[in-house]
Amino acid sequence: MLSFGWRMPGSAASQELPLVVVQAAPIQQWSNLTARLEQTPWQYCTVTPQPETWPTPQPNQGLVLFNLKTLEENQVAQIEQWLQAGGQVIVTGATGTLSSESARSRLQALLGSTWAFPLPGAASLVPLPATPVEAVTTSAELAYPLGGATLLPTHDQAQVLAQWQAPRPTPAIIATDQTAHLGWQWGADAIAGAETDIAGLQQIIEKQGIAVQIRQGENSGDACPLTTLEPDKPPPTTASGQTVVEQGNAAIATKQITAPLAPAPQPVMVAQMPLAPIPNSPATPDAPSPIAQPSISQRELAQLLAAAPSNLRQRYTHLNQLINRYESAVIAVESHHNPSDRQTFVETVENLGESEADIPPLPPGLQQVRQETAQLVRWLANQDYDQVNTGIQRLERLIWQQYPIEQPVSYPASRAIWLDRGTIVRTRSERELARIFNRLADAGINTVFFETLNASYPIYPSRVAPEQNPLTQGWDPLAAAVKLAHERGMELHAWVWIFAAANQRHNAILGQPPEYLGPVLSRHPDWAMLDRQGDAFHPNTRKAFYDPANPELRRYLLDIVDEIATEYDVDGIQLDYIRYPFQDPRTDLTFGYGIAARRQFYQQTGVDPATIRPTDGRWRQWTNFRMAQVSQFVEAAATLLQEQHPDVLLSAAVFPFPAQERLVKLQQNWEVWLDQDYLDFLVPMTYAKSTTEFDTLTAPVLNQGGRSSTLLLPGIRILQLPTVGTLDQLQHLQDRATGGYALFAAENLSLTLQNSLQGRHGRQTAQTNEPIAHRQPLATALARYQALQNEWQYWVAHQQLAVEQPTLTEWANQAALLEAKLATASQSPSESNLRSAQRQLRQFEQQFDRWLAPVAQDSPYRVQVWQNRLAGIDQLLRYGQRRGNRG
């Protein structure tokens, strides 16, 4: 049997009870599930999705949710009550992925995991030993490859029990002390056999110590009784200590329980959102600011949270992060609405009102959120955790309902989107392609990554490549795209696959044999990258790659880049697949054994790399050799453009994985590219289904890249991401002061998101005068700083900053001096003006911490955001300096 080698604390089973299975699948799927359950040795009963049909659990009793993609708020609340009562929860598959943002966020906090993305192919499970390490064995049932997905831990108490045996091993099973998540659709024969499903579930039941009853005879799966309590057991209590008494078949708490809230409605604009007080919460006072806020320090709040249950701590942390971003979004809108002829920051400080009657009120929605937050803190102090949980749920719904959706903000950035080959091919003409560009312009997009070279096929008629994409022959989509983009004031960057040479999925579309190596490798098979066994196609991704060490191949690819930059008025080149295929040295899935690579490595070391194993001391040397091949190509492309096409910018789409993992599995060392200034901007593919996951993925890249002069445009995958979730991720990037963002992809741009982006940024036209960060970095730095001053002025006018008048005056005067320096550098770009602005900015940053020290004690996030934005301005200045003092 597969053994995870350890048990969670407190998992000793005290009695045998049936598994409680939630029946919510379609009829055919449920029939398959019950057939699979009948093959298990456990007694089970069923409940409907309505929480009122769920029994009161005994400690360690298991609740199982098989593949339930949609869960409502009240169902998530019932899961939480189940856990609070000491029960265990097992989920499988994409549970909760189609739920509302607030329900999904709450579920992630409870489970400690989330379904991230499906695997590219079938894979086996590899159990991970825990500490202390015990013997781990793999059963034949679970060694069989099955179709699943990568799971992501969502808090620090979640532990990965098993990984997928894939080129990039990713979590397959994640558990906490009361929950477990199996990363595949349970009960589907097309995904996994009965032996695999049952073995996986059995291991979780044993590991968690779930009190499951072994059935005698047939298992009918009858409806569960509303209570599973035995008559001679003492009455249970709820998480808040209430005694539960029985009336017939129903268990009722002696204190009334708040009814579950209905599902959250679709988000609406702040201006249209009725802002009546939430029931059971303090009414909005008539008096304006200051607003009720927690009257305790951050340290005291941390102490209160430390005493709370772990799930609640995690939920409160996520809520606090959401509140911070919501506040940022609201104030960005409010400070933008101020008239252009208003007072300056200095004048606002000089004319501060002396009475509360002179203080303008904050937006009603923000007041309400602050009042609700203060109430949560009071409940925390009283250890009324049931109320805290209910309040968190209510407050999350309130924020998502009134999150700013379409209101304009002042924040110039590089706003990019990928336009993929499939979408381009379907247009078939410039006229139809124009419809797409009209939508992108309406959404305020100012940069388009246009897929130009895919699987060795250029989308345009090429004199370098042997064959144009057969599906675009007869017209030139690239020429049409450049024209359409420039007519709308947008930039067009040619998105090119570099080392990915052939794609079996593309072969199928073109009617080619699966093993067809594409129009280039079929003519130059010696350019192919191979695995150790001599195969070109990757077993999972079904792609074949070029050998980056081949000098003839490099010259060919550089000729393609040069042709695009010479023959077309493109604004940039984006390098994609600028890496080796995914590898897993532990399973001997390694690539790079092309003819040229083996010859060169042998010449350098006297060793054929095909004879080296990961345990060999020379393996690191082999890894470094391959990393160097990729980086040398990036350097050559950068040199080509800088010397022959200085107005054509260079970017790269990269993976955001930690360096140690990325270098071993992909040989993609983009840190070197940043250090050497090869790129104008880096586009990490930080695709996530929630802002919490997005923060986890972007943080390492932003922390590393923020020190360079290369701009960062993190990627957001908008497929199945709610509009408000997309806007929340955009707000996170604005709070981190990135160069902008890139949306993947144009085919997933909904009309709702398009309208929201248009409301925020306005339509992109040839007359748009807002700067693009990567094209006019100095003007962008000035505009962002002016927007930042507007926010400071707003907070000061509303007396929300605990800063003494003399300090405010010093701050405002220095801020005005810095604005003047930035304006001079932007309007009269020169080395001396730029250096003067940089010196003034550094002096300002050095004093900023002192000026805002009192504010940082109570509002650390707000001060951190302002520090981020100052650092972002500094990065824009450094990038402008590198690009030749471009305004």
Side-chain angles (χ1 to χ4, degrees), residues 456 497-503 517 521 524-531 535-538 541-548 553 557 576-583 591-594 630 655 666 668:
S456 300
W497 289 25
I498 297 299
F499 295 130
N503 184 352
L517 288 171
L521 282 183
H524 301 278
D526 56 318
W527 291 4
M529 180 192 299
L530 306 173
D531 65 10
D535 295 326
F537 280 99
H538 193 285
T541 65
R542 296 158 57 188
K543 293 182 177 71
F545 277 61
Y546 294 122
D547 178 3
L553 176 275
L557 291 174
D576 194 11
Y577 288 95
I578 185 69
R579 58 175 176 84
Y580 280 68
F582 277 110
Q583 299 151 81
F591 275 82
Y593 305 97
V630 178
F655 281 94
L666 299 173
Q668 188 180 69

Side-chain angles (χ1 to χ4, degrees), residues 721-776:
L721 187 63
T723 294
V724 69
T726 302
L727 298 179
D728 192 45
Q729 292 190 20
L730 293 179
Q731 186 59 54
H732 172 71
L733 295 183
Q734 188 166 320
D735 285 355
R736 289 299 304 261
T738 64
Y741 59 81
L743 303 179
F744 188 86
E747 66 174 338
N748 305 128
L749 180 65
S750 67
L751 184 60
T752 302
L753 180 57
Q754 174 186 321
N755 292 336
S756 295
L757 295 176
Q758 181 177 1
R760 288 171 62 88
H761 309 304
R763 191 174 189 275
Q764 185 73 20
T765 69
Q767 290 73 44
T768 301
N769 57 13
E770 183 184 67
I772 301 175
H774 63 257
R775 187 62 62 177
Q776 297 100 10

Side-chain angles (χ1 to χ4, degrees), residues 476-510:
D476 189 340
L478 181 57
V482 170
K483 173 176 173 287
L484 294 170
H486 291 173
E487 286 175 349
R488 292 157 179 78
M490 306 162 76
E491 290 201 353
L492 196 289
H493 293 231
W495 160 23
V496 295
W497 289 25
I498 297 299
F499 295 130
N503 184 352
Q504 291 185 343
R505 293 182 179 89
H506 195 235
N507 288 345
I509 294 173
L510 298 181

Side-chain angles (χ1 to χ4, degrees), residues 751-871:
L751 184 60
T752 302
L753 180 57
Q754 174 186 321
N755 292 336
S756 295
L757 295 176
Q758 181 177 1
R760 288 171 62 88
H761 309 304
R763 191 174 189 275
Q764 185 73 20
T765 69
Q767 290 73 44
T768 301
N769 57 13
E770 183 184 67
I772 301 175
H774 63 257
R775 187 62 62 177
Q776 297 100 10
L778 303 186
T780 301
L782 174 62
R784 287 192 181 184
Y785 181 71
Q786 290 170 336
L788 181 56
Q789 278 199 105
N790 291 345
E791 291 192 20
W792 293 338
Q793 184 177 347
Y794 184 91
W795 285 112
V796 169
H798 290 76
Q799 296 198 12
Q800 294 295 303
L801 304 179
V803 179
E804 298 294 334
Q805 182 73 31
T807 303
L808 281 176
T809 300
E810 180 186 1
W811 175 19
N813 288 332
Q814 291 298 314
L817 180 58
L818 176 55
E819 181 181 10
K821 294 287 187 180
L822 291 172
T824 300
S826 174
Q827 296 159 10
S828 303
S830 69
E831 186 67 21
S832 61
N833 287 340
L834 182 55
R835 288 189 179 279
S836 179
Q838 289 174 318
R839 284 194 299 270
Q840 190 64 40
L841 174 58
R842 293 189 183 106
Q843 293 175 10
F844 188 87
E845 289 180 296
Q846 290 170 1
Q847 301 175 83
F848 191 77
D849 290 348
R850 174 175 60 84
W851 296 330
L852 275 295
V855 181
Q857 293 180 5
D858 295 324
S859 302
Y861 184 85
R862 183 62 35 224
V863 174
Q864 183 63 61
V865 166
W866 292 341
Q867 291 170 333
N868 293 342
R869 292 175 67 176
L870 290 172

Side-chain angles (χ1 to χ4, degrees), residues 219-367:
N219 192 354
S220 61
D222 294 334
C224 300
L226 286 182
T227 176
T228 59
L229 301 182
E230 297 180 9
D232 58 346
K233 298 293 181 182
T237 60
T238 67
S240 59
Q242 302 168 135
T243 299
V244 176
V245 298
E246 292 183 296
Q247 292 184 1
N249 291 328
I252 304 174
T254 57
K255 179 180 177 181
Q256 184 177 0
I257 300 175
T258 304
L261 293 170
Q266 292 296 313
V268 296
M269 295 170 21
V270 172
Q272 299 174 349
M273 177 65 190
L275 292 169
I278 298 177
N280 301 324
S281 65
T284 303
D286 295 331
S289 305
I291 304 303
Q293 299 189 63
S295 57
I296 62 173
S297 67
Q298 292 292 313
R299 181 177 180 180
E300 291 170 325
L301 177 58
Q303 292 173 342
L304 293 180
L305 288 171
S310 60
N311 286 338
L312 186 145
R313 286 199 306 273
Q314 194 67 28
R315 287 196 63 202
Y316 190 94
T317 298
H318 290 170
L319 173 67
N320 189 55
Q321 294 167 345
L322 174 60
I323 291 172
N324 286 329
R325 295 190 301 271
Y326 167 73
E327 185 176 89
S328 292
V330 170
I331 299 307
V333 169
E334 291 293 317
S335 60
H336 173 83
H337 283 162
N338 287 343
S340 59
D341 59 349
R342 66 187 183 281
Q343 296 178 347
T344 65
F345 186 22
V346 172
E347 291 170 338
T348 299
V349 171
E350 292 175 346
N351 299 324
L352 280 177
E354 297 183 357
S355 67
E356 289 193 1
D358 298 326
I359 305 174
L362 287 175
L366 185 53
Q367 293 187 43

Side-chain angles (χ1 to χ4, degrees), residues 119 122-126 144-151 162-173 182-184 584 586:
L119 298 175
S124 301
L125 287 169
V126 178
Y144 184 81
L146 62 150
T150 292
L151 304 180
Q163 289 184 333
W164 295 112
Q165 188 178 46
R168 176 194 166 216
T170 54
I173 301 176
L182 305 183
W184 68 90
D584 183 1
R586 298 176 305 174

